[in-house]
Amino acid sequence: GENVEQHPSTLSVQEGDSAVIKCTYSDSASNYFPWYKQELGKRPQLIIDIRSNVGEKKDQRIAVTLNKTAKHFSLHITETQPEDSAVYFCAATRRKLTFGKGITLSVRP
Amino acid sequence: DTAVSQTPKYLVTQMGNDKSIKCEQNLGHDTMYWYKQDSKKFLKIMFSYNNKELIINETVPNRFSPKSPDKAHLNLHINSLELGDSAVYFCASSYGQGTHYEQYFGPGTRLTVT
């Protein structure tokens, strides 16, 4: 089945800096890659997604890039703010959604 | 006008008991899911239903039995609870038949087994 690895497991950045979170997946047939944000004690919520026919997608301060050949995709957050502090999950799907283990992003004011 | 709701929010019970968690969505979605999030925050799918039909059943102990009376509801019944069942259980729903669309999560049910 699909295996999704997420790196690093924790990330701390200064407010205003950029943050990059990387994920790799194992199933070359996976074709949909969402990113979910989960604030402490809250539900996961979709922040951006990308499909396999697209290499990059941007939405204001966040962007996702996909490299199908290397089977990895990354989340980029620019101009980070304290409210970006949360756990971020990448996921990949062909038949079912498989989540990475999550990364805790801390933005220092 | 909550999109996906779950009850109860917290559940504390003793080993060996049987308990149920209820989920309802008012988004008109066709597919509903149960996820388990353990203490390390790992989020893993347990079951998926599409129009009341079970389409995904991961390697979950058969003490867990989902039931979908209609496409807006998906309940989870757990028999003979064990310490390892302690986790947050999330219900979710999505449009369409597959998982290629945004999944809307409920607020979660924190189950503690003592």
Side-chain angles (χ1 to χ4, degrees), chain A residues 26-96:
Chain A
S26 60
D27 187 349
S28 56
S30 287
N31 52 16
Y32 175 63
F33 307 90
W35 285 88
Y36 283 80
K37 175 184 178 183
Q38 186 178 26
E39 296 176 5
L40 190 62
K42 301 284 182 66
R43 71 192 79 192
Q45 290 188 289
L46 181 75
I47 55 171
I48 196 166
D49 56 10
I50 192 167
R51 299 182 189 273
S52 58
N53 59 347
V54 175
E56 183 174 355
K57 184 176 177 181
K58 191 173 179 180
D59 184 3
Q60 299 183 343
R61 294 187 299 109
I62 59 174
V64 57
T65 57
L66 172 64
N67 183 328
K68 286 190 296 181
T69 304
K71 289 190 284 187
H72 69 71
F73 56 114
S74 300
L75 178 70
H76 305 253
I77 307 174
T78 58
E79 300 172 20
T80 53
Q81 300 166 4
E83 51 265 38
D84 294 329
S85 296
V87 178
Y88 290 82
F89 294 94
C90 62
T93 186
R94 180 164 65 97
R95 178 181 159 268
K96 65 179 174 72

Coordinates of all heavy atoms in Angstrom, one line a residue, chain A residues 26-96:
Chain A
S26 N 5.2 6.6 -1.9 CA 5.8 5.4 -2.5 C 5.0 4.9 -3.7 O 5.6 4.2 -4.6 CB 5.8 4.2 -1.5 OG 4.5 3.9 -1.0
D27 N 3.7 5.1 -3.8 CA 2.8 4.6 -4.9 C 2.8 5.5 -6.1 O 2.2 6.6 -6.0 CB 1.4 4.3 -4.3 CG 0.5 3.6 -5.3 OD1 0.9 3.5 -6.5 OD2 -0.6 3.2 -5.0
S28 N 3.5 5.2 -7.1 CA 3.5 6.1 -8.3 C 2.2 6.3 -8.9 O 2.0 7.2 -9.7 CB 4.5 5.5 -9.4 OG 4.1 4.2 -9.7
A29 N 1.2 5.5 -8.6 CA -0.2 5.7 -9.1 C -1.0 6.7 -8.3 O -2.1 7.1 -8.7 CB -0.9 4.4 -9.1
S30 N -0.5 7.2 -7.2 CA -1.2 8.2 -6.4 C -1.3 9.5 -7.3 O -0.4 9.8 -8.0 CB -0.4 8.5 -5.1 OG -0.5 7.5 -4.2
N31 N -2.5 10.1 -7.2 CA -2.7 11.2 -8.1 C -3.4 12.4 -7.5 O -3.8 13.4 -8.1 CB -3.5 10.7 -9.3 CG -4.8 10.0 -8.8 OD1 -5.2 10.1 -7.7 ND2 -5.4 9.3 -9.8
Y32 N -3.5 12.4 -6.1 CA -4.0 13.6 -5.5 C -3.3 13.8 -4.1 O -3.1 12.8 -3.4 CB -5.5 13.3 -5.2 CG -6.2 14.4 -4.4 CD1 -6.3 15.7 -4.8 CD2 -6.8 14.1 -3.1 CE1 -6.9 16.7 -4.1 CE2 -7.4 15.1 -2.4 CZ -7.5 16.4 -2.8 OH -8.1 17.3 -2.1
F33 N -2.8 15.0 -3.9 CA -2.0 15.3 -2.8 C -2.4 16.5 -2.0 O -2.1 17.6 -2.3 CB -0.5 15.5 -3.3 CG 0.0 14.4 -4.2 CD1 -0.3 14.5 -5.5 CD2 0.6 13.3 -3.6 CE1 0.2 13.4 -6.4 CE2 1.0 12.2 -4.5 CZ 0.8 12.3 -5.8
P34 N -3.2 16.3 -0.9 CA -3.7 17.4 -0.1 C -2.8 17.7 1.1 O -2.0 16.8 1.5 CB -5.1 16.9 0.4 CG -4.9 15.4 0.5 CD -3.9 15.0 -0.6
W35 N -2.9 18.9 1.6 CA -2.2 19.2 2.8 C -3.3 19.7 3.8 O -4.1 20.5 3.5 CB -1.2 20.4 2.6 CG 0.1 20.0 1.9 CD1 0.3 19.9 0.5 CD2 1.3 19.6 2.5 NE1 1.5 19.4 0.3 CE2 2.2 19.2 1.5 CE3 1.7 19.4 3.8 CZ2 3.5 18.8 1.7 CZ3 3.0 19.0 4.1 CH2 3.9 18.7 3.0
Y36 N -3.2 19.2 5.0 CA -4.1 19.5 6.1 C -3.4 20.2 7.2 O -2.2 19.8 7.6 CB -4.9 18.3 6.6 CG -6.0 17.8 5.7 CD1 -5.7 17.1 4.6 CD2 -7.3 18.2 5.9 CE1 -6.6 16.7 3.7 CE2 -8.3 17.8 5.0 CZ -8.0 17.0 4.0 OH -8.9 16.6 3.1
K37 N -4.0 21.2 7.9 CA -3.5 21.9 9.0 C -4.3 21.6 10.2 O -5.6 21.6 10.1 CB -3.5 23.4 8.7 CG -3.1 24.3 9.9 CD -3.2 25.7 9.6 CE -2.8 26.6 10.7 NZ -3.0 28.1 10.4
Q38 N -3.7 21.2 11.3 CA -4.5 20.9 12.5 C -3.9 21.8 13.7 O -2.8 21.5 14.1 CB -4.4 19.4 12.9 CG -5.3 19.1 14.1 CD -5.2 17.6 14.4 OE1 -4.3 16.9 14.1 NE2 -6.3 17.1 15.0
E39 N -4.7 22.7 14.1 CA -4.3 23.5 15.3 C -4.6 22.7 16.5 O -5.4 21.7 16.5 CB -5.1 24.8 15.3 CG -4.7 25.7 14.1 CD -5.5 27.0 14.0 OE1 -6.3 27.2 14.9 OE2 -5.4 27.7 13.0
L40 N -4.0 23.1 17.6 CA -4.0 22.3 18.9 C -5.5 22.1 19.3 O -6.2 23.1 19.5 CB -3.2 23.0 19.9 CG -3.0 22.2 21.2 CD1 -2.2 21.0 21.0 CD2 -2.3 23.1 22.3
G41 N -5.9 20.9 19.5 CA -7.2 20.6 19.9 C -8.3 20.8 18.9 O -9.5 20.7 19.2
K42 N -8.0 21.0 17.7 CA -9.0 21.3 16.6 C -9.0 20.1 15.6 O -8.2 19.2 15.7 CB -8.7 22.6 15.9 CG -8.7 23.8 16.9 CD -10.1 24.2 17.2 CE -10.1 25.5 18.1 NZ -9.6 26.7 17.4
R43 N -9.9 20.3 14.6 CA -9.9 19.3 13.6 C -9.0 19.6 12.5 O -8.6 20.7 12.3 CB -11.4 19.3 13.0 CG -11.7 20.5 12.2 CD -13.2 20.6 11.9 NE -14.0 21.1 13.0 CZ -15.3 21.0 13.1 NH1 -16.0 20.5 12.2 NH2 -15.9 21.5 14.2
P44 N -8.5 18.6 11.7 CA -7.7 18.9 10.5 C -8.5 19.6 9.5 O -9.7 19.3 9.3 CB -7.3 17.5 10.0 CG -7.5 16.6 11.2 CD -8.7 17.2 11.9
Q45 N -7.9 20.6 8.8 CA -8.6 21.3 7.7 C -7.7 21.4 6.5 O -6.5 21.7 6.7 CB -9.0 22.7 8.2 CG -10.1 22.7 9.3 CD -10.6 24.0 9.6 OE1 -10.0 24.8 10.3 NE2 -11.9 24.3 9.2
L46 N -8.3 21.3 5.4 CA -7.5 21.3 4.1 C -7.1 22.8 3.9 O -7.8 23.7 4.1 CB -8.4 20.9 3.0 CG -7.8 21.0 1.6 CD1 -6.8 19.8 1.4 CD2 -8.8 21.0 0.5
I47 N -5.8 22.9 3.6 CA -5.3 24.3 3.3 C -4.9 24.4 1.8 O -5.0 25.5 1.2 CB -4.1 24.7 4.2 CG1 -2.9 23.6 4.1 CG2 -4.5 24.9 5.6 CD1 -1.7 24.1 4.7
I48 N -4.5 23.4 1.2 CA -4.2 23.4 -0.3 C -4.0 22.0 -0.7 O -3.7 21.1 0.0 CB -2.9 24.2 -0.5 CG1 -2.7 24.6 -2.0 CG2 -1.6 23.4 0.0 CD1 -1.7 25.6 -2.3
D49 N -4.3 21.7 -2.0 CA -4.1 20.4 -2.6 C -3.6 20.5 -4.0 O -3.6 21.6 -4.6 CB -5.4 19.6 -2.6 CG -6.6 20.3 -3.3 OD1 -6.4 21.3 -4.0 OD2 -7.7 19.8 -3.1
I50 N -3.1 19.5 -4.5 CA -2.5 19.5 -5.9 C -2.8 18.1 -6.5 O -2.8 17.1 -5.8 CB -1.0 19.8 -5.9 CG1 -0.5 20.1 -7.3 CG2 -0.2 18.7 -5.2 CD1 0.8 20.7 -7.4
R51 N -3.1 18.1 -7.8 CA -3.4 16.9 -8.5 C -2.2 16.6 -9.4 O -1.4 17.4 -9.7 CB -4.7 17.0 -9.3 CG -5.8 17.2 -8.4 CD -7.2 17.3 -9.1 NE -8.2 17.7 -8.1 CZ -8.9 16.9 -7.3 NH1 -8.6 15.6 -7.4 NH2 -9.8 17.4 -6.5
S52 N -2.1 15.3 -9.8 CA -0.8 14.9 -10.4 C -0.6 15.5 -11.8 O 0.5 15.3 -12.4 CB -0.8 13.3 -10.6 OG -1.9 12.9 -11.3
N53 N -1.6 16.1 -12.4 CA -1.3 16.7 -13.7 C -0.8 18.2 -13.6 O -0.7 18.9 -14.6 CB -2.6 16.7 -14.5 CG -3.8 17.4 -13.8 OD1 -3.7 17.7 -12.7 ND2 -4.9 17.6 -14.6
V54 N -0.5 18.6 -12.4 CA -0.1 20.0 -12.1 C 1.2 19.9 -11.3 O 1.4 19.1 -10.5 CB -1.1 20.7 -11.3 CG1 -0.6 22.1 -10.9 CG2 -2.4 20.8 -12.1
G55 N 2.2 20.8 -11.6 CA 3.4 20.8 -10.9 C 3.5 21.7 -9.8 O 4.3 21.5 -8.8
E56 N 2.7 22.8 -9.8 CA 2.8 23.8 -8.7 C 1.4 24.4 -8.6 O 0.7 24.6 -9.5 CB 3.8 24.8 -9.0 CG 4.0 25.8 -7.9 CD 5.2 26.8 -8.2 OE1 5.9 26.5 -9.2 OE2 5.4 27.7 -7.4
K57 N 1.1 24.8 -7.3 CA -0.2 25.5 -7.1 C 0.1 26.5 -5.9 O 0.8 26.2 -5.0 CB -1.3 24.5 -6.7 CG -2.6 25.1 -6.5 CD -3.7 24.0 -6.2 CE -5.0 24.6 -6.0 NZ -6.0 23.5 -5.7
K58 N -0.5 27.7 -6.1 CA -0.2 28.7 -5.1 C -1.5 29.3 -4.6 O -2.5 29.5 -5.4 CB 0.7 29.8 -5.7 CG 1.2 30.8 -4.7 CD 2.2 31.7 -5.3 CE 2.8 32.7 -4.2 NZ 3.7 33.6 -4.8
D59 N -1.6 29.6 -3.3 CA -2.8 30.3 -2.7 C -2.3 31.3 -1.7 O -2.0 30.9 -0.6 CB -3.7 29.3 -2.1 CG -5.0 29.9 -1.6 OD1 -5.2 31.2 -1.8 OD2 -5.8 29.2 -1.0
Q60 N -2.1 32.5 -2.1 CA -1.6 33.6 -1.2 C -0.3 33.2 -0.6 O 0.7 33.1 -1.4 CB -2.7 33.9 -0.1 CG -4.0 34.3 -0.6 CD -5.0 34.7 0.4 OE1 -4.9 34.3 1.6 NE2 -6.0 35.4 0.0
R61 N -0.1 33.0 0.7 CA 1.2 32.8 1.2 C 1.6 31.3 1.2 O 2.7 30.9 1.6 CB 1.3 33.2 2.7 CG 1.1 34.7 2.9 CD 1.3 35.1 4.4 NE 0.4 34.5 5.3 CZ 0.7 33.5 6.1 NH1 1.9 33.0 6.2 NH2 -0.3 33.0 6.9
I62 N 0.8 30.4 0.7 CA 1.1 29.0 0.7 C 1.2 28.5 -0.7 O 0.5 29.0 -1.6 CB 0.2 28.1 1.5 CG1 -1.3 28.3 1.0 CG2 0.3 28.5 3.0 CD1 -2.2 27.3 1.7
A63 N 2.1 27.6 -1.0 CA 2.2 27.0 -2.3 C 2.6 25.5 -2.1 O 3.2 25.1 -1.1 CB 3.3 27.7 -3.1
V64 N 2.3 24.7 -3.1 CA 2.7 23.3 -3.0 C 3.3 23.0 -4.4 O 2.9 23.4 -5.4 CB 1.5 22.4 -2.7 CG1 0.4 22.6 -3.7 CG2 1.9 20.9 -2.7
T65 N 4.4 22.2 -4.4 CA 5.1 21.8 -5.6 C 5.1 20.2 -5.6 O 5.1 19.6 -4.5 CB 6.5 22.3 -5.6 OG1 7.2 21.8 -4.5 CG2 6.5 23.8 -5.7
L66 N 5.0 19.7 -6.8 CA 4.9 18.2 -6.9 C 6.0 17.8 -7.9 O 6.0 18.3 -9.0 CB 3.5 17.8 -7.4 CG 3.3 16.3 -7.8 CD1 3.6 15.4 -6.6 CD2 2.0 16.1 -8.4
N67 N 6.8 16.8 -7.6 CA 7.7 16.2 -8.5 C 7.4 14.7 -8.6 O 7.7 13.9 -7.7 CB 9.2 16.4 -8.0 CG 10.2 15.8 -8.9 OD1 10.0 14.8 -9.6 ND2 11.4 16.4 -8.9
K68 N 6.6 14.4 -9.7 CA 6.1 13.0 -9.8 C 7.3 12.0 -10.1 O 7.2 10.9 -9.6 CB 5.1 12.9 -10.9 CG 3.8 13.5 -10.6 CD 2.7 13.2 -11.7 CE 3.1 13.8 -13.0 NZ 2.1 13.5 -14.1
T69 N 8.3 12.4 -10.8 CA 9.4 11.5 -11.1 C 10.1 11.1 -9.8 O 10.4 9.9 -9.6 CB 10.4 12.2 -12.0 OG1 9.7 12.7 -13.2 CG2 11.5 11.3 -12.4
A70 N 10.3 12.1 -8.9 CA 11.0 11.8 -7.7 C 10.1 11.3 -6.6 O 10.5 10.9 -5.5 CB 11.8 13.0 -7.2
K71 N 8.8 11.4 -6.9 CA 7.7 11.1 -5.9 C 7.9 11.9 -4.6 O 7.9 11.3 -3.5 CB 7.7 9.6 -5.7 CG 7.2 8.8 -6.9 CD 6.9 7.3 -6.5 CE 8.2 6.6 -6.5 NZ 7.9 5.1 -6.3
H72 N 7.9 13.2 -4.8 CA 7.9 14.0 -3.6 C 7.2 15.3 -3.8 O 7.0 15.7 -5.0 CB 9.3 14.2 -2.9 CG 10.2 15.1 -3.7 ND1 10.1 16.4 -3.9 CD2 11.4 14.7 -4.3 CE1 11.1 16.9 -4.6 NE2 11.9 15.9 -4.9
F73 N 6.6 15.9 -2.8 CA 5.9 17.1 -2.9 C 6.2 17.9 -1.6 O 6.5 17.4 -0.6 CB 4.4 16.9 -3.1 CG 3.7 16.0 -2.1 CD1 2.7 16.6 -1.3 CD2 3.9 14.7 -2.0 CE1 2.0 15.8 -0.4 CE2 3.3 13.9 -1.1 CZ 2.3 14.4 -0.3
S74 N 6.1 19.2 -1.8 CA 6.5 20.1 -0.7 C 5.5 21.2 -0.5 O 4.8 21.7 -1.4 CB 7.8 20.7 -1.0 OG 8.8 19.7 -1.1
L75 N 5.4 21.6 0.8 CA 4.5 22.8 1.2 C 5.4 23.9 1.5 O 6.4 23.8 2.2 CB 3.7 22.4 2.4 CG 2.8 23.5 2.9 CD1 1.6 23.8 2.0 CD2 2.2 23.2 4.3
H76 N 5.2 25.1 0.9 CA 6.0 26.3 1.1 C 5.0 27.3 1.8 O 4.0 27.7 1.2 CB 6.5 26.8 -0.2 CG 7.3 25.8 -1.0 ND1 8.7 25.9 -1.1 CD2 6.9 24.7 -1.7 CE1 9.1 24.9 -1.8 NE2 8.0 24.2 -2.2
I77 N 5.5 27.9 2.9 CA 4.7 29.0 3.6 C 5.7 30.1 3.6 O 6.8 30.0 4.2 CB 4.3 28.6 5.0 CG1 3.5 27.3 5.0 CG2 3.4 29.7 5.6 CD1 3.1 26.7 6.3
T78 N 5.3 31.3 3.0 CA 6.1 32.5 3.1 C 5.5 33.4 4.1 O 4.4 33.3 4.5 CB 6.1 33.2 1.7 OG1 4.8 33.5 1.4 CG2 6.7 32.3 0.7
E79 N 6.4 34.3 4.6 CA 6.0 35.4 5.6 C 5.2 34.7 6.7 O 4.1 35.1 7.0 CB 5.2 36.4 4.9 CG 5.9 37.1 3.7 CD 5.0 38.1 2.9 OE1 4.0 38.5 3.5 OE2 5.4 38.4 1.8
T80 N 5.8 33.8 7.4 CA 5.1 33.0 8.4 C 4.7 34.0 9.5 O 5.3 35.0 9.9 CB 6.0 31.9 9.0 OG1 7.3 32.5 9.4 CG2 6.2 30.8 8.0
Q81 N 3.5 33.6 10.1 CA 2.9 34.3 11.2 C 2.7 33.4 12.4 O 2.6 32.2 12.2 CB 1.6 34.9 10.7 CG 1.8 35.9 9.6 CD 0.5 36.2 8.9 OE1 -0.6 35.8 9.3 NE2 0.6 37.0 7.8
P82 N 2.6 33.9 13.6 CA 2.3 33.0 14.7 C 1.1 32.1 14.6 O 1.2 30.9 15.0 CB 2.2 34.0 15.9 CG 3.0 35.2 15.5 CD 2.8 35.3 14.0
E83 N 0.1 32.5 13.9 CA -1.1 31.7 13.7 C -0.8 30.6 12.7 O -1.7 29.7 12.5 CB -2.3 32.6 13.2 CG -2.0 33.4 12.0 CD -1.6 34.9 12.5 OE1 -0.9 35.0 13.5 OE2 -2.0 35.8 11.7
D84 N 0.3 30.5 12.1 CA 0.7 29.4 11.2 C 1.2 28.2 12.1 O 1.3 27.1 11.6 CB 1.8 29.8 10.2 CG 1.3 30.8 9.2 OD1 0.1 30.8 8.8 OD2 2.2 31.6 8.7
S85 N 1.4 28.4 13.3 CA 1.9 27.4 14.2 C 0.8 26.3 14.4 O -0.4 26.6 14.7 CB 2.2 27.9 15.6 OG 3.3 28.8 15.6
A86 N 1.1 25.1 14.0 CA 0.1 24.0 14.0 C 0.9 22.7 13.6 O 2.1 22.7 13.3 CB -1.0 24.3 13.0
V87 N 0.1 21.6 13.5 CA 0.6 20.4 12.9 C 0.1 20.4 11.5 O -1.0 20.6 11.2 CB 0.1 19.2 13.7 CG1 0.7 17.9 13.0 CG2 0.6 19.2 15.1
Y88 N 1.0 20.1 10.5 CA 0.7 20.0 9.1 C 0.9 18.6 8.6 O 1.9 17.9 8.9 CB 1.6 20.9 8.3 CG 1.3 22.4 8.6 CD1 1.9 23.0 9.7 CD2 0.5 23.1 7.7 CE1 1.6 24.4 9.9 CE2 0.2 24.4 7.9 CZ 0.8 25.1 9.0 OH 0.5 26.4 9.3
F89 N -0.1 18.1 8.0 CA -0.1 16.7 7.4 C -0.2 16.8 5.9 O -1.0 17.4 5.3 CB -1.4 15.9 7.9 CG -1.5 15.7 9.4 CD1 -2.2 16.5 10.2 CD2 -0.8 14.5 9.9 CE1 -2.2 16.3 11.6 CE2 -0.9 14.3 11.3 CZ -1.6 15.1 12.1
C90 N 0.8 16.0 5.3 CA 0.6 15.8 3.9 C -0.1 14.5 3.7 O -0.1 13.6 4.6 CB 2.0 15.8 3.2 SG 3.1 14.4 3.8
A91 N -0.6 14.2 2.6 CA -1.3 13.0 2.3 C -1.3 12.7 0.8 O -1.0 13.6 0.0 CB -2.8 13.1 2.7
A92 N -1.4 11.4 0.5 CA -1.4 11.0 -0.9 C -2.5 10.0 -1.1 O -2.9 9.2 -0.1 CB -0.1 10.4 -1.3
T93 N -3.1 10.0 -2.3 CA -4.2 9.0 -2.4 C -4.3 8.5 -3.8 O -4.0 9.2 -4.8 CB -5.6 9.7 -2.1 OG1 -6.6 8.7 -2.2 CG2 -5.9 10.8 -3.1
R94 N -4.6 7.2 -3.9 CA -5.1 6.6 -5.2 C -6.5 6.0 -4.9 O -7.4 6.4 -5.6 CB -4.1 5.5 -5.6 CG -4.5 4.8 -6.9 CD -3.4 4.1 -7.5 NE -2.9 3.0 -6.7 CZ -3.3 1.7 -6.8 NH1 -4.1 1.4 -7.8 NH2 -2.9 0.7 -6.1
R95 N -6.6 5.2 -3.9 CA -7.8 4.6 -3.5 C -8.3 5.1 -2.2 O -9.5 5.3 -1.9 CB -7.7 3.1 -3.5 CG -8.9 2.3 -3.1 CD -8.7 0.8 -3.1 NE -9.6 0.2 -2.3 CZ -9.4 -0.1 -1.0 NH1 -8.3 0.2 -0.4 NH2 -10.3 -0.7 -0.3
K96 N -7.3 5.3 -1.3 CA -7.7 5.9 0.0 C -6.6 6.9 0.4 O -5.5 6.8 -0.1 CB -7.8 4.8 1.1 CG -6.5 4.0 1.4 CD -6.7 3.0 2.4 CE -5.4 2.1 2.6 NZ -4.3 2.8 3.3

